[in-house]
Amino acid sequence: MSVEDEVVKLEEGQSSAKVWSQNKPSDNLSSSSKTVELLQKIIAEIIGTYFVIFSGCGSVVVNKLYGSVTFPGICVVWGLIVMVMVYSLGHISGAHFNPAVTVTFALFRRFPYKQVPLYIVAQVFGSTMASGTLCLIFKVPHDAFFGTVPVGPDVRSFIMELIISFLLMFVISGVATDNRAIGELAGIAVGMTIMLNVFVAGPVSGASMNPARTLGPAIIMQNFKGIWVYMVGPFIGTIFGGFAYNLIRFTDKPLRELTKSSSFIRSFRA
């Protein structure tokens, strides 16, 4: 900065120290820090999704090939691995591992929109890598497909996916976004919800609740039967689940205050 420029700044009431502070490279450092933080989150989502799919789908593969896990065992594995990954990575990336959850958080202003595509790519990549690893280790035949396909009519599986995804997001919203809840129990609550959902919906739709969980095995094994069920149902279910919890979150306010259009909309963005 020239002497003339500094004189002008001084005449405008700014000290030379303030002028200098405006030109120091703090913004660059801040930008670099944010980039590193975002990269850490993406890596966490890749690793977390990888192990969720590797363990959950791995139990399906082992059961189909060797018959030693049983259906209840598969349900427990899904619940446990999600619980473990939530506690391991929740403080880094939020432990979404699910594009439907990420999109729903963004819609209700719990997650920045600009990071949504990166998270979804990371989740699908992690799922695909885990599915590829399982196929490489076990040489999975086509009839031992460990993805999710509708059993019976597609519409029945679609409705089932919508309902269980609603329940999953409703629980996540309660334990992860409400400061009145006991945050330390979030992993247990989410893991148990997934286990219960697999018990109920597993024999019908495969209990995906997660587009990435379905896409990974489908891409690796080239089996896209009924894929629309798992690309649409979980998104609709999680959005409605998040909406329902946000609706009851503010029941301590007067009804007339909730029904005012401006305050009602703001309540979902809080």
Side-chain angles (χ1 to χ4, degrees), residues 25 47 81 154 182 230:
I47 293 174
I81 187 57
D154 285 4
I182 303 174
Y230 310 99

Side-chain angles (χ1 to χ4, degrees), residues 189-201:
V190 174
M192 292 303 98
T193 301
I194 288 177
M195 184 182 72
L196 291 172
N197 282 345
V198 177
F199 264 116
V200 174

Side-chain angles (χ1 to χ4, degrees), residues 25-260:
S26 59
D27 290 341
N28 292 333
L29 292 175
S30 177
S31 177
S32 299
S33 176
K34 289 180 180 179
T35 301
V36 171
E37 183 181 351
L38 178 59
L39 183 60
Q40 291 172 335
K41 291 179 179 180
I42 299 304
I43 293 173
E45 283 295 302
I46 293 174
I47 293 174
T49 308
Y50 178 93
F51 282 109
V52 166
I53 302 305
F54 180 83
S55 299
C57 291
S59 67
V60 175
V61 171
V62 171
N63 190 59
K64 286 191 173 184
L65 296 181
Y66 305 107
S68 57
V69 180
T70 73
F71 175 66
I74 293 172
C75 298
V76 171
V77 169
W78 277 109
L80 285 177
I81 187 57
V82 170
M83 180 185 71
V84 169
M85 287 296 103
V86 167
Y87 283 126
S88 299
L89 299 172
H91 55 285
I92 298 175
S93 68
H96 296 186
F97 314 141
N98 185 336
V101 171
T102 300
V103 169
T104 302
F105 273 141
L107 285 176
F108 292 100
R109 303 298 178 90
R110 300 283 173 179
F111 189 75
Y113 282 106
K114 63 182 180 180
Q115 294 183 15
V116 169
L118 296 174
Y119 263 53
I120 292 177
V121 169
Q123 291 153 0
V124 174
F125 179 74
S127 176
T128 305
M129 291 297 292
S131 301
T133 303
L134 289 172
C135 285
L136 194 63
I137 294 174
F138 293 103
K139 306 293 182 184
V140 184
H142 191 73
D143 59 352
F145 180 58
F146 52 87
T148 52
V149 293
V151 177
D154 285 4
V155 174
R156 182 172 64 185
S157 293
F158 170 76
I159 294 173
M160 188 66 79
E161 285 294 320
L162 192 153
I163 293 172
I164 62 176
S165 298
F166 178 103
L167 175 59
L168 176 62
M169 194 65 212
F170 187 84
V171 172
I172 291 173
S173 297
V175 298
T177 69
D178 197 327
N179 56 17
R180 295 172 296 179
I182 303 174
E184 290 78 6
L185 298 181
I188 297 175
V190 174
M192 292 303 98
T193 301
I194 288 177
M195 184 182 72
L196 291 172
N197 282 345
V198 177
F199 264 116
V200 174
V204 179
S205 67
S208 174
M209 300 168 275
N210 183 344
R213 181 262 183 269
T214 296
L215 271 176
I219 292 171
I220 293 298
M221 298 195 69
Q222 293 296 293
N223 187 340
F224 299 97
K225 179 184 177 183
I227 194 75
W228 73 270
V229 170
Y230 310 99
M231 298 300 104
V232 179
F235 280 108
I236 296 177
T238 53
I239 290 170
F240 275 101
F243 178 85
Y245 190 83
N246 278 276
L247 187 65
I248 66 173
R249 185 198 299 267
F250 302 98
T251 51
D252 58 327
K253 294 183 178 180
L255 181 60
R256 63 176 179 273
E257 183 180 344
L258 283 173
T259 52
K260 288 180 182 177

